PDB file of all heavy atoms in Angstrom:
ATOM      1  N   ASN A 151     104.113 146.046 -21.395  1.00  0.00           N
ATOM      2  CA  ASN A 151     104.778 145.124 -20.477  1.00  0.00           C
ATOM      3  C   ASN A 151     103.737 144.366 -19.666  1.00  0.00           C
ATOM      4  O   ASN A 151     102.579 144.764 -19.593  1.00  0.00           O
ATOM      5  CB  ASN A 151     105.718 145.866 -19.527  1.00  0.00           C
ATOM      6  CG  ASN A 151     106.937 146.393 -20.230  1.00  0.00           C
ATOM      7  OD1 ASN A 151     107.125 146.186 -21.425  1.00  0.00           O
ATOM      8  ND2 ASN A 151     107.785 147.079 -19.496  1.00  0.00           N
ATOM      9  N   SER A 152     104.172 143.293 -19.036  1.00  0.00           N
ATOM     10  CA  SER A 152     103.254 142.530 -18.198  1.00  0.00           C
ATOM     11  C   SER A 152     104.027 141.828 -17.102  1.00  0.00           C
ATOM     12  O   SER A 152     105.254 141.716 -17.156  1.00  0.00           O
ATOM     13  CB  SER A 152     102.500 141.501 -19.038  1.00  0.00           C
ATOM     14  OG  SER A 152     103.407 140.573 -19.607  1.00  0.00           O
ATOM     15  N   LEU A 153     103.299 141.370 -16.105  1.00  0.00           N
ATOM     16  CA  LEU A 153     103.886 140.560 -15.049  1.00  0.00           C
ATOM     17  C   LEU A 153     103.870 139.102 -15.495  1.00  0.00           C
ATOM     18  O   LEU A 153     102.961 138.684 -16.220  1.00  0.00           O
ATOM     19  CB  LEU A 153     103.081 140.678 -13.759  1.00  0.00           C
ATOM     20  CG  LEU A 153     103.130 142.016 -13.043  1.00  0.00           C
ATOM     21  CD1 LEU A 153     102.169 142.015 -11.868  1.00  0.00           C
ATOM     22  CD2 LEU A 153     104.545 142.317 -12.578  1.00  0.00           C
ATOM     23  N   ALA A 154     104.819 138.328 -15.042  1.00  0.00           N
ATOM     24  CA  ALA A 154     104.841 136.902 -15.337  1.00  0.00           C
ATOM     25  C   ALA A 154     103.663 136.223 -14.642  1.00  0.00           C
ATOM     26  O   ALA A 154     103.206 136.676 -13.589  1.00  0.00           O
ATOM     27  CB  ALA A 154     106.153 136.291 -14.856  1.00  0.00           C
ATOM     28  N   LEU A 155     103.195 135.149 -15.235  1.00  0.00           N
ATOM     29  CA  LEU A 155     102.146 134.350 -14.630  1.00  0.00           C
ATOM     30  C   LEU A 155     102.626 133.902 -13.246  1.00  0.00           C
ATOM     31  O   LEU A 155     103.744 133.417 -13.096  1.00  0.00           O
ATOM     32  CB  LEU A 155     101.853 133.134 -15.513  1.00  0.00           C
ATOM     33  CG  LEU A 155     100.749 132.207 -15.063  1.00  0.00           C
ATOM     34  CD1 LEU A 155      99.413 132.937 -15.085  1.00  0.00           C
ATOM     35  CD2 LEU A 155     100.697 130.992 -15.975  1.00  0.00           C
ATOM     36  N   HIS A 156     101.806 134.129 -12.234  1.00  0.00           N
ATOM     37  CA  HIS A 156     102.188 133.777 -10.876  1.00  0.00           C
ATOM     38  C   HIS A 156     100.946 133.517 -10.034  1.00  0.00           C
ATOM     39  O   HIS A 156      99.831 133.776 -10.479  1.00  0.00           O
ATOM     40  CB  HIS A 156     103.031 134.897 -10.237  1.00  0.00           C
ATOM     41  CG  HIS A 156     102.280 136.165 -10.024  1.00  0.00           C
ATOM     42  ND1 HIS A 156     102.039 137.079 -11.024  1.00  0.00           N
ATOM     43  CD2 HIS A 156     101.697 136.673  -8.911  1.00  0.00           C
ATOM     44  CE1 HIS A 156     101.343 138.093 -10.541  1.00  0.00           C
ATOM     45  NE2 HIS A 156     101.113 137.870  -9.264  1.00  0.00           N
ATOM     46  N   ASP A 157     101.160 132.999  -8.844  1.00  0.00           N
ATOM     47  CA  ASP A 157     100.046 132.820  -7.916  1.00  0.00           C
ATOM     48  C   ASP A 157     100.429 133.425  -6.575  1.00  0.00           C
ATOM     49  O   ASP A 157     101.526 133.943  -6.410  1.00  0.00           O
ATOM     50  CB  ASP A 157      99.655 131.339  -7.773  1.00  0.00           C
ATOM     51  CG  ASP A 157     100.741 130.495  -7.135  1.00  0.00           C
ATOM     52  OD1 ASP A 157     101.590 131.022  -6.387  1.00  0.00           O
ATOM     53  OD2 ASP A 157     100.742 129.272  -7.367  1.00  0.00           O
ATOM     54  N   HIS A 158      99.503 133.362  -5.669  1.00  0.00           N
ATOM     55  CA  HIS A 158      99.725 133.887  -4.324  1.00  0.00           C
ATOM     56  C   HIS A 158      99.518 132.729  -3.352  1.00  0.00           C
ATOM     57  O   HIS A 158      98.718 132.816  -2.425  1.00  0.00           O
ATOM     58  CB  HIS A 158      98.770 135.043  -4.036  1.00  0.00           C
ATOM     59  CG  HIS A 158      98.991 136.219  -4.923  1.00  0.00           C
ATOM     60  ND1 HIS A 158      99.362 137.443  -4.441  1.00  0.00           N
ATOM     61  CD2 HIS A 158      98.925 136.362  -6.270  1.00  0.00           C
ATOM     62  CE1 HIS A 158      99.506 138.296  -5.444  1.00  0.00           C
ATOM     63  NE2 HIS A 158      99.242 137.652  -6.563  1.00  0.00           N
ATOM     64  N   GLY A 159     100.248 131.635  -3.606  1.00  0.00           N
ATOM     65  CA  GLY A 159     100.118 130.365  -2.903  1.00  0.00           C
ATOM     66  C   GLY A 159      99.746 130.470  -1.438  1.00  0.00           C
ATOM     67  O   GLY A 159     100.375 131.182  -0.671  1.00  0.00           O
ATOM     68  N   GLY A 160      98.707 129.750  -1.067  1.00  0.00           N
ATOM     69  CA  GLY A 160      98.289 129.694   0.316  1.00  0.00           C
ATOM     70  C   GLY A 160      97.504 130.896   0.801  1.00  0.00           C
ATOM     71  O   GLY A 160      97.074 130.947   1.942  1.00  0.00           O
ATOM     72  N   THR A 161      97.295 131.863  -0.063  1.00  0.00           N
ATOM     73  CA  THR A 161      96.575 133.070   0.325  1.00  0.00           C
ATOM     74  C   THR A 161      95.073 132.826   0.251  1.00  0.00           C
ATOM     75  O   THR A 161      94.578 132.271  -0.717  1.00  0.00           O
ATOM     76  CB  THR A 161      96.965 134.236  -0.607  1.00  0.00           C
ATOM     77  OG1 THR A 161      98.363 134.430  -0.534  1.00  0.00           O
ATOM     78  CG2 THR A 161      96.242 135.500  -0.250  1.00  0.00           C
ATOM     79  N   LEU A 162      94.370 133.255   1.266  1.00  0.00           N
ATOM     80  CA  LEU A 162      92.923 133.099   1.281  1.00  0.00           C
ATOM     81  C   LEU A 162      92.260 134.066   0.304  1.00  0.00           C
ATOM     82  O   LEU A 162      91.357 133.690  -0.437  1.00  0.00           O
ATOM     83  CB  LEU A 162      92.394 133.334   2.702  1.00  0.00           C
ATOM     84  CG  LEU A 162      90.915 133.109   2.927  1.00  0.00           C
ATOM     85  CD1 LEU A 162      90.522 131.676   2.599  1.00  0.00           C
ATOM     86  CD2 LEU A 162      90.550 133.430   4.368  1.00  0.00           C
ATOM     87  N   LEU A 163      92.717 135.312   0.294  1.00  0.00           N
ATOM     88  CA  LEU A 163      92.185 136.325  -0.606  1.00  0.00           C
ATOM     89  C   LEU A 163      93.346 137.116  -1.210  1.00  0.00           C
ATOM     90  O   LEU A 163      94.330 137.383  -0.525  1.00  0.00           O
ATOM     91  CB  LEU A 163      91.277 137.304   0.134  1.00  0.00           C
ATOM     92  CG  LEU A 163      89.984 136.763   0.713  1.00  0.00           C
ATOM     93  CD1 LEU A 163      89.341 137.807   1.626  1.00  0.00           C
ATOM     94  CD2 LEU A 163      89.017 136.376  -0.380  1.00  0.00           C
ATOM     95  N   ALA A 164      93.205 137.494  -2.461  1.00  0.00           N
ATOM     96  CA  ALA A 164      94.185 138.366  -3.108  1.00  0.00           C
ATOM     97  C   ALA A 164      93.398 139.435  -3.855  1.00  0.00           C
ATOM     98  O   ALA A 164      92.267 139.210  -4.271  1.00  0.00           O
ATOM     99  CB  ALA A 164      95.060 137.577  -4.078  1.00  0.00           C
ATOM    100  N   CYS A 165      93.997 140.602  -3.993  1.00  0.00           N
ATOM    101  CA  CYS A 165      93.296 141.659  -4.725  1.00  0.00           C
ATOM    102  C   CYS A 165      94.294 142.488  -5.515  1.00  0.00           C
ATOM    103  O   CYS A 165      95.492 142.490  -5.237  1.00  0.00           O
ATOM    104  CB  CYS A 165      92.476 142.533  -3.793  1.00  0.00           C
ATOM    105  SG  CYS A 165      93.446 143.690  -2.822  1.00  0.00           S
ATOM    106  N   SER A 166      93.764 143.171  -6.514  1.00  0.00           N
ATOM    107  CA  SER A 166      94.532 144.131  -7.309  1.00  0.00           C
ATOM    108  C   SER A 166      93.729 145.413  -7.362  1.00  0.00           C
ATOM    109  O   SER A 166      92.502 145.375  -7.503  1.00  0.00           O
ATOM    110  CB  SER A 166      94.728 143.629  -8.743  1.00  0.00           C
ATOM    111  OG  SER A 166      95.554 142.499  -8.763  1.00  0.00           O
ATOM    112  N   TYR A 167      94.414 146.534  -7.237  1.00  0.00           N
ATOM    113  CA  TYR A 167      93.773 147.839  -7.362  1.00  0.00           C
ATOM    114  C   TYR A 167      94.540 148.614  -8.416  1.00  0.00           C
ATOM    115  O   TYR A 167      95.758 148.765  -8.318  1.00  0.00           O
ATOM    116  CB  TYR A 167      93.799 148.607  -6.026  1.00  0.00           C
ATOM    117  CG  TYR A 167      93.185 149.987  -6.141  1.00  0.00           C
ATOM    118  CD1 TYR A 167      91.815 150.144  -6.258  1.00  0.00           C
ATOM    119  CD2 TYR A 167      93.983 151.131  -6.161  1.00  0.00           C
ATOM    120  CE1 TYR A 167      91.250 151.401  -6.378  1.00  0.00           C
ATOM    121  CE2 TYR A 167      93.428 152.387  -6.278  1.00  0.00           C
ATOM    122  CZ  TYR A 167      92.055 152.517  -6.397  1.00  0.00           C
ATOM    123  OH  TYR A 167      91.495 153.760  -6.525  1.00  0.00           O
ATOM    124  N   TYR A 168      93.838 149.058  -9.439  1.00  0.00           N
ATOM    125  CA  TYR A 168      94.467 149.812 -10.516  1.00  0.00           C
ATOM    126  C   TYR A 168      94.354 151.294 -10.202  1.00  0.00           C
ATOM    127  O   TYR A 168      93.252 151.842 -10.164  1.00  0.00           O
ATOM    128  CB  TYR A 168      93.792 149.496 -11.851  1.00  0.00           C
ATOM    129  CG  TYR A 168      94.138 148.110 -12.337  1.00  0.00           C
ATOM    130  CD1 TYR A 168      93.397 147.005 -11.953  1.00  0.00           C
ATOM    131  CD2 TYR A 168      95.236 147.915 -13.165  1.00  0.00           C
ATOM    132  CE1 TYR A 168      93.727 145.736 -12.382  1.00  0.00           C
ATOM    133  CE2 TYR A 168      95.579 146.646 -13.603  1.00  0.00           C
ATOM    134  CZ  TYR A 168      94.819 145.567 -13.208  1.00  0.00           C
ATOM    135  OH  TYR A 168      95.163 144.318 -13.629  1.00  0.00           O
ATOM    136  N   ILE A 169      95.501 151.928  -9.987  1.00  0.00           N
ATOM    137  CA  ILE A 169      95.515 153.347  -9.671  1.00  0.00           C
ATOM    138  C   ILE A 169      95.308 154.151 -10.944  1.00  0.00           C
ATOM    139  O   ILE A 169      94.461 155.030 -11.010  1.00  0.00           O
ATOM    140  CB  ILE A 169      96.834 153.753  -8.985  1.00  0.00           C
ATOM    141  CG1 ILE A 169      96.964 152.993  -7.663  1.00  0.00           C
ATOM    142  CG2 ILE A 169      96.875 155.259  -8.740  1.00  0.00           C
ATOM    143  CD1 ILE A 169      98.303 153.171  -6.970  1.00  0.00           C
ATOM    144  N   LYS A 170      96.082 153.833 -11.970  1.00  0.00           N
ATOM    145  CA  LYS A 170      95.963 154.496 -13.273  1.00  0.00           C
ATOM    146  C   LYS A 170      96.372 153.520 -14.343  1.00  0.00           C
ATOM    147  O   LYS A 170      97.356 152.807 -14.199  1.00  0.00           O
ATOM    148  CB  LYS A 170      96.914 155.689 -13.365  1.00  0.00           C
ATOM    149  CG  LYS A 170      96.373 156.985 -12.903  1.00  0.00           C
ATOM    150  CD  LYS A 170      97.332 158.102 -13.244  1.00  0.00           C
ATOM    151  CE  LYS A 170      96.768 159.414 -12.754  1.00  0.00           C
ATOM    152  NZ  LYS A 170      97.663 160.523 -12.974  1.00  0.00           N
ATOM    153  N   SER A 171      95.626 153.495 -15.421  1.00  0.00           N
ATOM    154  CA  SER A 171      96.049 152.738 -16.596  1.00  0.00           C
ATOM    155  C   SER A 171      95.328 153.320 -17.803  1.00  0.00           C
ATOM    156  O   SER A 171      94.143 153.652 -17.730  1.00  0.00           O
ATOM    157  CB  SER A 171      95.762 151.248 -16.448  1.00  0.00           C
ATOM    158  OG  SER A 171      94.390 151.001 -16.322  1.00  0.00           O
ATOM    159  N   PRO A 172      96.049 153.451 -18.904  1.00  0.00           N
ATOM    160  CA  PRO A 172      95.414 153.952 -20.116  1.00  0.00           C
ATOM    161  C   PRO A 172      94.344 152.981 -20.603  1.00  0.00           C
ATOM    162  O   PRO A 172      94.369 151.791 -20.258  1.00  0.00           O
ATOM    163  CB  PRO A 172      96.569 154.033 -21.129  1.00  0.00           C
ATOM    164  CG  PRO A 172      97.811 153.942 -20.334  1.00  0.00           C
ATOM    165  CD  PRO A 172      97.467 153.214 -19.073  1.00  0.00           C
ATOM    166  N   GLU A 173      93.426 153.469 -21.387  1.00  0.00           N
ATOM    167  CA  GLU A 173      92.371 152.634 -21.955  1.00  0.00           C
ATOM    168  C   GLU A 173      93.004 151.449 -22.680  1.00  0.00           C
ATOM    169  O   GLU A 173      93.978 151.590 -23.399  1.00  0.00           O
ATOM    170  CB  GLU A 173      91.521 153.453 -22.926  1.00  0.00           C
ATOM    171  CG  GLU A 173      90.185 152.834 -23.247  1.00  0.00           C
ATOM    172  CD  GLU A 173      89.288 152.707 -22.034  1.00  0.00           C
ATOM    173  OE1 GLU A 173      89.275 153.613 -21.184  1.00  0.00           O
ATOM    174  OE2 GLU A 173      88.597 151.688 -21.921  1.00  0.00           O
ATOM    175  N   GLY A 174      92.462 150.240 -22.469  1.00  0.00           N
ATOM    176  CA  GLY A 174      92.970 149.046 -23.131  1.00  0.00           C
ATOM    177  C   GLY A 174      94.175 148.423 -22.449  1.00  0.00           C
ATOM    178  O   GLY A 174      94.740 147.462 -22.952  1.00  0.00           O
ATOM    179  N   CYS A 175      94.568 148.956 -21.297  1.00  0.00           N
ATOM    180  CA  CYS A 175      95.708 148.398 -20.554  1.00  0.00           C
ATOM    181  C   CYS A 175      95.215 147.875 -19.210  1.00  0.00           C
ATOM    182  O   CYS A 175      94.180 148.294 -18.719  1.00  0.00           O
ATOM    183  CB  CYS A 175      96.764 149.467 -20.307  1.00  0.00           C
ATOM    184  SG  CYS A 175      97.572 150.032 -21.795  1.00  0.00           S
ATOM    185  N   GLY A 176      95.980 147.005 -18.628  1.00  0.00           N
ATOM    186  CA  GLY A 176      95.682 146.551 -17.277  1.00  0.00           C
ATOM    187  C   GLY A 176      94.779 145.343 -17.187  1.00  0.00           C
ATOM    188  O   GLY A 176      94.257 145.054 -16.119  1.00  0.00           O
TER     189      GLY A 176
END
């Protein structure tokens, strides 16, 4: 599965933190 293409309009900084993901995912 995946998230739809999106933005974080007007945001100065955005981040993602991966807690757990199998190899080859994320």
Side-chain angles (χ1 to χ4, degrees):
N151 289 358
S152 62
L153 291 174
L155 182 64
H156 66 280
D157 65 25
H158 296 242
T161 302
L162 184 60
L163 294 170
C165 75
S166 293
Y167 178 73
Y168 288 88
I169 298 173
K170 271 189 180 177
S171 62
E173 197 63 38
C175 293

